[in-house]
Amino acid sequence: METTSSSRVGAQTAEAPATAAAPAQEPQTDAVTGAQTDTQPQEAAAPVPAARRTAEGFLAADFPWYGLDGAFSGPRWLMQVGTAADGTVEHGSTGHGDEPSARGEIATGEKERFAVVITVASNPLRRSGDGTGVLEATSVSSAAWLAGSGLLAYSWPGQMDHSLRDDWLDQQTEAAWELADDLAGDDWSTLSLPVDGEPTPFHYRESEFGWVLAGSTGTGVHLGAYGRGMSAYGLGFSAIADLGTYE
């Protein structure tokens, strides 16, 4: 499977919405460790809100971001960006609908309705930032892997003890990797959805936890998406003209 050097091992297992409160962390630069955050001394000026920090990460990208098109009228929010070792933005996620949680339906009894769209820069084979190696090109499989692992991050099998979930997540994440590496396999079907108004083929699969899809656009990016409670068959995607609609 073609992917970036860190897409396989570094993909986050929990992409928290940008607006969620979180303690200060050390700066992260791995391709899929999430948006960068800066730890500030207590006497420093008030820290920049997480949503604004994340927006700055999105604005630093040199490729267009995608989300659901104008037919979707629900809430939208920015999630996280993933960067290469040299700080180049390589992918990021935008959320739509209910903000999901891992336990979701199990904890509340209510079905969550959400769709997350992942934009992955289409990168050719290139040298690493420090000049010591070569990074593999990204592909549709890269988007499928990020979408599959993202859905798992917000999934919690019924009757599963908390102490067992990490083992389950490791096993299912490995399975998601193998599925993303075999998009021509029987586990995937083909679904045509509009991207910027143009019918576009996507690889699509469903599971008890939700659905995952992945495809490419004509604007030099790959798209992945995952969701639950919202039918993928009625979705459309478009380039985001104003990131402010996601804050």
Side-chain angles (χ1 to χ4, degrees):
M1 165 180 165
E2 291 183 341
T3 180
T4 60
S5 60
S6 53
S7 290
R8 168 65 182 93
V9 298
Q12 290 202 161
T13 54
E15 288 192 326
T19 54
Q25 302 174 352
E26 294 182 359
Q28 302 289 323
T29 55
D30 187 85
V32 277
T33 52
Q36 292 188 347
T37 57
D38 297 321
T39 302
Q40 298 190 23
Q42 205 166 22
E43 65 273 17
V48 178
R52 191 181 307 166
R53 288 200 302 271
T54 302
E56 290 173 354
F58 277 80
L59 291 170
D62 60 359
F63 54 88
W65 294 105
Y66 276 77
L68 297 187
D69 61 19
F72 176 76
S73 59
R76 300 169 182 254
W77 71 94
L78 297 178
M79 295 181 76
Q80 296 171 322
V81 296
T83 60
D86 61 0
T88 301
V89 177
E90 294 195 326
H91 65 83
S93 305
T94 56
H96 309 76
D98 301 328
E99 295 190 16
S101 62
R103 302 207 67 161
E105 185 179 343
I106 295 177
T108 65
E110 297 181 0
K111 291 184 178 296
E112 296 172 331
R113 299 181 68 257
F114 67 90
V116 173
V117 180
I118 302 170
T119 307
V120 182
S122 180
N123 289 324
L125 195 68
R126 67 207 191 283
R127 298 199 65 80
S128 59
D130 59 9
T132 60
V134 176
L135 302 180
E136 296 181 22
T138 55
S139 69
V140 178
S141 290
S142 306
W145 151 245
L146 289 168
S149 59
L151 177 62
L152 289 171
Y154 292 119
S155 302
W156 195 304
Q159 310 304 317
M160 176 169 284
D161 182 83
H162 184 279
S163 62
L164 298 177
R165 185 173 182 268
D166 286 346
D167 290 338
W168 173 86
L169 192 57
D170 288 342
Q171 294 170 357
Q172 295 301 310
T173 299
E174 184 65 29
W177 166 255
E178 294 173 357
L179 286 168
D181 199 27
D182 185 24
L183 294 177
D186 294 338
D187 293 293
W188 297 89
S189 60
T190 301
L191 180 63
S192 179
L193 296 173
V195 176
D196 293 325
E198 296 294 327
T200 303
F202 285 87
H203 300 278
Y204 174 78
R205 67 179 177 87
E206 294 180 356
S207 73
E208 62 181 303
F209 306 112
W211 51 263
V212 171
L213 59 81
S216 296
T217 76
T219 57
V221 298
H222 305 294
L223 293 184
Y226 62 89
R228 190 161 55 231
M230 295 172 58
S231 173
Y233 288 85
L235 301 182
F237 306 95
S238 63
I240 300 173
D242 180 11
L243 285 173
T245 60
Y246 281 81
E247 294 183 48

